[in-house]
Amino acid sequence: MWQYTLKRLIQGVITVWFIATATFLAMHNVPGDPLSGERAMSEAIRANLEARYGLDKPLTEQYFIYLGNFLKGDFGISFAQENRQVNDIIREHFPVSATLGILAVIFAALGGVLWGALTALYRNRLPDTIIMFLVILGISVPSFVFAALGQLTLVNLNAFFGVSFLPVAGWGTVSHMILPALVLGMGTMAYLTRLMRSSMLEIINSDYVRTAKAKGLPPARIFTRHQLRNAILPVITVLGPAIAAITTGGFVVELVFAIPGLGRYFVQAVQQLDYTVIMGTTVFYGAFLVFMVIVVDLLYGWIDPRVRLQ
Amino acid sequence: MKSPITSDDSFTRSAGRQLARYAFIAVAVLVALMYSLNFVAGLTSTGAGGAAGAVDVENNEISIYLREEPPQMNSMLATDAVSGMVLGHVMEGLLRYDENDQIVPGMAERWEINGTRATFHIRENARWSNGDPLTAHDFEFAWKTALDPATGSQYAFIFYPILNAEAANTGQMPLDSVGVRALDDHTLEVDLAQPIAYFDKLVAFVTFQPVQEAFFNATNGRYGADADEMLYNGPFMMTSWVHGASLRMVKNPYYWDAERIRLDGINAAYITSDSNTLLNLYKDERIAVVDLTAEMLEGAMQQKWQLDRFMDGSVFFVDFNHREGRVTGNLNLRKAMFLAQDGNELVDRVIKLPGYLPAKSLFPVWLQGVEKTFREEYPAPESPYNVALAREHLERAKQELGLSEIPPLVMLADTSPVATISSQYYQEVFKRNLGLDIIIDAQTFQQRLAKMDSGDFDIVLSGWGPDYNDPLTFADLYASWNLNNRGRYNNPVLDSHVRVAQTSTDTKTRMDAFGEIQRILHEDVAYIGNYERGRVYATHPQVKGVIRRVFGAEYDYTGAYIETAD
């Protein structure tokens, strides 16, 4: 077990190093640099700026300086927000994205398991048909559409009733989080519903469920112990990557709801070629994703003892 | 066919009941979680979450939005509009622009500019937000620090009219040699390299704002990084800045002209550039002012909102690559392209954004001339749409270039919606009217600029926003030495007129030079005018006195106030 964990961690470190190197190379091969602005700079001013940011050094030297700082956990100072450490940006804004992401995943997981179980129980009947139609909708409609529609509906509701049910946008209280989290989790909820349904259907027809019924166990117990518990396994498998994907992919929702999350900085940095922030956020997100996958693998072994043997 | 197990209805009912129980528990747990989280959040809340409405009559405050997080609140380094807007509220230079874009006294109560010597007299009651007296030394320090090569300020060039400023910025002379000195606490003396007519207008620019040396050094390089890492001297001071989320400004009690300021506080409660979100926030009465896009206009009219329009000062145009070896260096080809497109059609039928005007000249409509506006005194040359004539010019161009066909032209553009739709318009008209093939090269803003610098284009959708209220901010754009002349247009006659405008202090002489520059650029088809950008915005019915403009803080809430029913 420990050996397995160690092996996975080493693999993870190599993956993150690879991500860092690939990002570094790609970033420096894009035309332009973070210093170019609408006002053209004289050679002298540009030289002043390059010296200030260490961009005047050869690329290989920049790479090793950057790797060295990275090992010390220092991502440097943002080019676009010249007073802010990239570490500060991550520390201040990642918790926002993470809070939103976790809430979204809680919504998605609870909803997905409940709806999935429901559709499996009532398969081919009316609840199944209605929910599966909504699921297709949820999977195919992108989150920015849900975000815009959700916000518009809320504004009209607030206006119609003359009270503010939920804030239209912004951040600060839990009431600010509900709508964005629902919107952000919508796609995942739909996906998990479908996953739960098919996994549940497979188990409903399995021999041990038949045996349990034949033994005369109470239906509620068969449902909970034999069906739900086994059917939930694949859902847990995708949960880890889903948390990572939702946390890192909330850019549009963050923009629409004016939420100070890290996703916004990540996308802005790419647009502005803000080298240090691109590197910092990419490596951070990469490491986060790799870590989540490892955690899920270990968790899976805990839930399903057969996995540990391999 | 149903299998025997699924037809087991009693099982389904029991299991369904169990599922309903789980669902109930899940919802209950979730609600409890939310409540406890809200409680915890309430304990740690900074109070700046945007809970207040657009207008808070009780506290005499309004709420507004920012398009993005201010990237740089250090006035010596700031280059962008959002930082400029906030700095315009919390800082004040020697001079400032009033509501009519005219220069009025700021920290300097009076000033004299005679030839190469400018003297500013700082008012006795000028104070920093901590109560310290504001002195001429604070200006000298800020200007010299901005010029210091180690500071790496992008806007250092704006000081270059000052004696030895350029040499100091390029490290050829010491900073002490720069022609700016505080004679005493209240007198700032500036030596100029040569007489310039618009130095008073330059001084109103953000980079010229003061910084207190002692405070700056105490921040250890974090000056402007947070609300408490700055010292303010403007009408407002920043009391909180939650990065990426909100920013709060309250009235500065030490401001010399505090009577002019009628609001007690401004909450920049939302930071987003999503125009639909902003519209929703406005509808929900969360923000006091909002910019409208074309598709929002109809709804706004139906709601009978208070709508206004203004020109934001920027001019957009198609620039040609005049470098050696480019077919766009050929005058007849440029003439053909100029005649084959219709600026009115582009603005009225394609872009369709409210407030936009066709750019008939590089000099926008709002620029001041000798007595009236520049464009009234020096009308823009006519620009007729004439396909037949365009084709004649194209034939001549082919002969001169010795080509049977013009090769496909690369049109560089950025990825903004207006640039995308404009580039498609040009692609279509040049194909239809001239048979020219245009390859659109869409790049992000930064990469478009990089490609322009390296000359990697034939034509490019470009634009220019003014730095100071003088036609020269546009006129020197095509001077051969200007680095912003990225198409490398080179015309010695034009250069000589630019020199006249730079060195003369006689208004009429300078305006004549600008008139000549306008004529030459038109005859040479140095560019094809695209549009002058305008905006339409809605203001909360109770909020008055908000100023939208070209120079200084934009939006400007310093004169805003809340109108109450009584």
Side-chain angles (χ1 to χ4, degrees):
Chain A
M1 182 69 188
W2 288 114
Q3 210 176 357
Y4 174 72
T5 312
L6 196 68
K7 197 175 120 196
R8 290 303 310 268
L9 281 177
I10 291 170
Q11 276 174 352
V13 169
I14 294 172
T15 313
V16 172
W17 169 77
F18 183 78
I19 292 171
T21 309
T23 312
F24 184 85
L25 289 177
M27 185 173 82
H28 281 278
N29 277 303
V30 169
D33 64 36
L35 302 180
S36 45
E38 195 176 10
R39 295 327 189 226
M41 268 179 283
S42 70
E43 288 298 315
I45 291 184
R46 170 165 276 276
N48 292 345
L49 277 163
E50 284 184 352
R52 187 168 138 210
Y53 286 105
L55 291 180
D56 50 348
K57 299 189 176 74
L59 204 57
T60 40
E61 200 183 329
Q62 287 184 43
Y63 174 71
F64 284 110
I65 290 175
Y66 149 72
L67 268 194
N69 288 338
F70 168 50
L71 286 177
K72 282 183 270 174
D74 176 13
F75 289 118
I77 296 171
S78 163
F79 283 84
Q81 302 193 5
E82 298 167 66
N83 272 318
R84 297 188 75 195
Q85 296 278 343
V86 179
N87 293 27
D88 287 341
I89 292 182
I90 294 175
R91 201 181 50 234
E92 283 170 36
H93 300 287
F94 179 68
V96 173
S97 290
T99 311
L100 189 65
I102 288 169
L103 202 60
V105 170
I106 291 176
F107 280 146
L110 285 179
V113 169
L114 290 173
W115 295 127
L118 188 74
T119 48
L121 280 180
Y122 293 90
R123 81 174 139 166
N124 297 338
R125 291 205 239 164
L126 194 62
D128 184 29
T129 319
I130 294 174
I131 293 168
M132 287 319 282
F133 171 74
L134 293 177
V135 162
I136 301 294
L137 215 62
I139 288 175
S140 43
V141 176
S143 65
F144 65 86
V145 176
F146 280 127
L149 282 178
Q151 195 179 55
L152 192 65
T153 314
L154 188 60
V155 170
N156 290 333
L157 276 179
N158 284 355
F160 186 78
F161 290 101
V163 278
S164 187
F165 290 106
L166 288 174
V168 171
W171 190 252
T173 65
V174 172
S175 55
H176 284 102
M177 301 174 193
I178 295 174
L179 190 61
L182 270 176
V183 165
L184 191 58
M186 199 71 92
T188 311
M189 191 197 287
Y191 172 69
L192 291 181
T193 303
R194 210 166 59 168
L195 193 69
M196 184 69 191
R197 180 178 184 267
S198 59
S199 146
M200 193 72 180
L201 283 179
E202 207 174 291
I203 281 159
I204 282 175
N205 291 323
S206 65
D207 290 344
Y208 61 84
V209 169
R210 201 191 311 254
T211 312
K213 282 185 182 172
K215 282 200 295 188
L217 286 179
R221 190 167 156 190
I222 298 176
F223 175 69
T224 309
R225 295 274 181 86
H226 294 80
Q227 296 183 347
L228 216 49
R229 198 180 156 189
N230 286 308
I232 223 165
L233 267 177
V235 173
I236 291 176
T237 316
V238 299
L239 221 49
I243 290 178
I246 282 185
T247 309
T248 55
F251 162 65
V252 179
V253 174
E254 284 172 12
L255 189 74
V256 170
F257 290 101
I259 294 168
L262 191 57
R264 232 160 69 168
Y265 286 86
F266 181 49
V267 174
Q268 257 174 29
V270 175
Q271 285 168 348
Q272 298 170 335
L273 275 180
D274 189 342
Y275 284 168
T276 42
V277 179
I278 294 179
M279 290 307 301
T281 46
T282 314
V283 169
F284 178 77
Y285 275 153
F288 180 67
L289 198 69
V290 167
F291 178 72
M292 287 311 289
V293 171
I294 295 176
V295 167
V296 168
D297 281 358
L298 297 179
L299 212 63
Y300 204 74
W302 176 65
I303 292 173
D304 187 349
R306 284 171 301 176
V307 177
R308 240 176 293 171
L309 301 174
Q310 291 154 9
Chain B
M1 274 303 293
K2 288 176 178 178
S3 72
I5 290 171
T6 46
S7 66
D8 185 357
D9 277 347
S10 75
F11 176 81
T12 306
R13 264 198 302 278
S14 310
R17 268 201 299 277
Q18 186 65 25
L19 185 65
R21 251 170 252 142
Y22 287 139
F24 180 74
I25 294 169
V27 171
V29 168
L30 212 56
V31 170
L33 186 79
M34 294 287 204
Y35 264 102
S36 50
L37 268 179
N38 210 6
F39 181 69
V40 175
L43 293 179
T44 57
S45 170
T46 51
V55 173
D56 182 350
V57 179
E58 204 173 313
N59 295 315
N60 192 24
E61 293 182 356
I62 60 167
S63 289
I64 56 161
Y65 75 97
L66 295 179
R67 192 151 281 280
E68 59 170 9
E69 162 100 345
Q72 180 55 273
M73 287 294 289
N74 176 346
S75 56
M76 300 178 289
L77 296 173
T79 58
D80 67 291
V82 176
S83 305
M85 180 258 163
V86 179
L87 282 169
H89 285 78
V90 298
M91 301 294 286
E92 188 170 275
L94 292 167
L95 312 175
R96 65 177 184 89
Y97 286 102
D98 72 357
E99 60 274 20
N100 302 316
D101 279 346
Q102 298 306 309
I103 288 290
V104 291
M107 286 294 123
E109 56 185 346
R110 60 200 161 80
W111 68 98
E112 302 104 38
I113 302 175
N114 297 316
T116 59
R117 167 69 52 88
T119 315
F120 296 91
H121 303 277
I122 317 272
R123 44 183 90 248
E124 297 283 336
N125 57 350
R127 288 272 183 285
W128 287 103
S129 52
N130 62 358
D132 286 355
L134 183 141
T135 68
H137 299 280
D138 300 326
F139 285 96
E140 186 186 343
F141 172 73
W143 299 9
K144 284 187 175 166
T145 308
L147 277 169
D148 189 342
T151 306
S153 172
Q154 277 196 47
Y155 257 87
F157 71 86
I158 203 129
F159 293 103
Y160 285 5
I162 299 174
L163 187 68
N164 295 337
E166 184 164 6
N169 188 231
T170 52
Q172 289 156 354
M173 286 177 95
L175 282 171
D176 290 342
S177 64
V178 177
V180 50
R181 313 167 280 286
L183 294 184
D184 55 56
D185 279 359
H186 297 286
T187 317
L188 186 76
E189 196 173 76
V190 183
D191 284 330
L192 302 172
Q194 59 190 28
I196 56 167
Y198 54 95
F199 189 66
D200 52 342
K201 290 163 181 166
L202 271 188
V203 164
F205 197 76
V206 165
T207 325
F208 287 85
Q209 287 170 350
V211 175
Q212 196 195 52
E213 185 171 3
F215 187 88
F216 180 85
N217 291 335
T219 56
N220 278 324
R222 283 185 51 80
Y223 181 75
D226 274 306
D228 55 0
E229 304 274 14
M230 271 182 85
L231 212 49
Y232 310 96
N233 75 324
F236 292 87
M237 48 191 194
M238 202 158 52
T239 53
S240 107
W241 181 6
V242 184
H243 288 288
S246 64
L247 189 150
R248 185 174 152 74
M249 298 181 271
V250 302
K251 191 171 171 173
N252 178 1
Y254 293 103
Y255 181 59
W256 68 274
D257 196 10
E259 279 171 25
R260 183 171 69 89
I261 310 307
R262 295 172 66 176
L263 283 178
D264 285 331
I266 302 171
N267 287 306
Y270 303 91
I271 299 181
T272 182
S273 57
D274 186 306
S275 50
N276 285 314
T277 302
L278 294 172
L279 181 73
N280 287 335
L281 284 169
Y282 181 79
K283 279 187 187 163
D284 206 43
E285 297 215 12
R286 301 284 139 188
I287 52 176
V289 182
V290 70
D291 277 8
L292 301 177
T293 62
E295 57 270 25
M296 295 172 182
L297 210 55
E298 202 178 322
M301 309 256 249
Q302 281 172 3
Q303 308 265 347
K304 298 206 166 52
W305 285 353
Q306 161 72 36
L307 297 183
D308 293 285
R309 60 178 273 180
F310 81 109
M311 304 308 294
D312 79 352
S314 296
V315 177
F316 292 79
F317 41 87
V318 180
D319 225 344
F320 294 99
N321 195 344
H322 300 269
R323 286 173 179 79
E324 195 81 15
R326 295 275 173 180
V327 289
T328 40
N330 182 284
L331 177 60
N332 275 312
L333 178 63
R334 297 203 300 273
K335 270 192 180 151
M337 293 172 77
F338 177 69
L339 292 165
Q341 54 82 44
D342 183 357
N344 293 322
E345 184 179 46
L346 174 71
V347 170
D348 298 340
R349 301 259 179 83
V350 181
I351 298 178
K352 291 192 287 194
L353 282 170
Y356 279 51
L357 291 178
K360 295 193 189 302
S361 164
L362 183 65
F363 299 93
V365 289
W366 47 266
L367 277 173
Q368 187 64 37
V370 184
E371 268 161 14
K372 291 181 279 182
T373 67
F374 176 79
R375 288 273 290 274
E376 280 173 293
E377 292 169 356
Y378 301 86
E382 283 303 305
S383 40
Y385 169 68
N386 188 335
V387 178
L389 193 59
R391 288 187 180 141
E392 276 175 38
H393 281 292
L394 182 69
E395 285 313 311
R396 257 181 266 165
K398 283 179 187 169
Q399 276 172 13
E400 286 166 7
L401 290 163
L403 295 168
S404 57
E405 281 306 320
I406 302 289
L409 299 177
V410 175
M411 176 179 253
L412 186 59
D414 54 43
T415 48
S416 69
V418 178
T420 306
I421 197 169
S422 308
S423 55
Q424 284 163 0
Y425 166 76
Y426 287 119
Q427 187 180 42
E428 207 270 328
V429 290
F430 291 149
K431 180 74 192 168
R432 173 160 43 97
N433 293 338
L434 298 174
L436 285 177
D437 284 313
I438 305 287
I439 302 163
I440 296 174
D441 180 11
Q443 299 283 346
T444 63
F445 182 69
Q446 213 95 2
Q447 285 159 32
R448 165 171 75 80
L449 291 170
K451 284 194 142 186
M452 282 172 78
D453 279 332
S454 60
D456 191 5
F457 66 99
D458 291 307
I459 44 183
V460 58
L461 290 186
S462 186
W464 190 250
D467 286 328
Y468 47 89
N469 193 2
D470 186 271
L472 188 61
T473 192
F474 289 98
D476 70 353
L477 207 50
Y478 285 94
S480 60
W481 60 83
N482 191 334
L483 292 166
N484 292 305
N485 175 4
R486 288 171 166 115
R488 301 282 181 270
Y489 174 79
N490 191 338
N491 183 338
V493 184
L494 180 121
D495 284 356
S496 67
H497 287 298
V498 175
R499 295 237 185 257
V500 168
Q502 280 180 332
T503 50
S504 168
T505 49
D506 176 59
T507 312
K508 181 76 173 80
T509 314
R510 298 184 73 236
M511 292 302 154
D512 284 346
F514 294 134
E516 278 302 292
I517 291 168
Q518 178 174 253
R519 188 186 58 77
I520 292 169
L521 288 175
H522 174 74
E523 282 175 7
D524 248 2
V525 197
Y527 64 88
I528 297 175
N530 212 318
Y531 57 87
E532 288 184 35
R533 190 162 61 191
R535 294 190 196 282
V536 171
Y537 62 102
T539 313
H540 189 282
Q542 275 180 285
V543 177
K544 306 289 174 195
V546 176
I547 297 168
R548 305 295 306 270
R549 54 144 134 234
V550 179
F551 299 101
E554 201 299 294
Y555 311 79
D556 183 350
Y557 297 102
T558 55
Y561 59 96
I562 300 170
E563 195 176 61
T564 42
D566 49 81

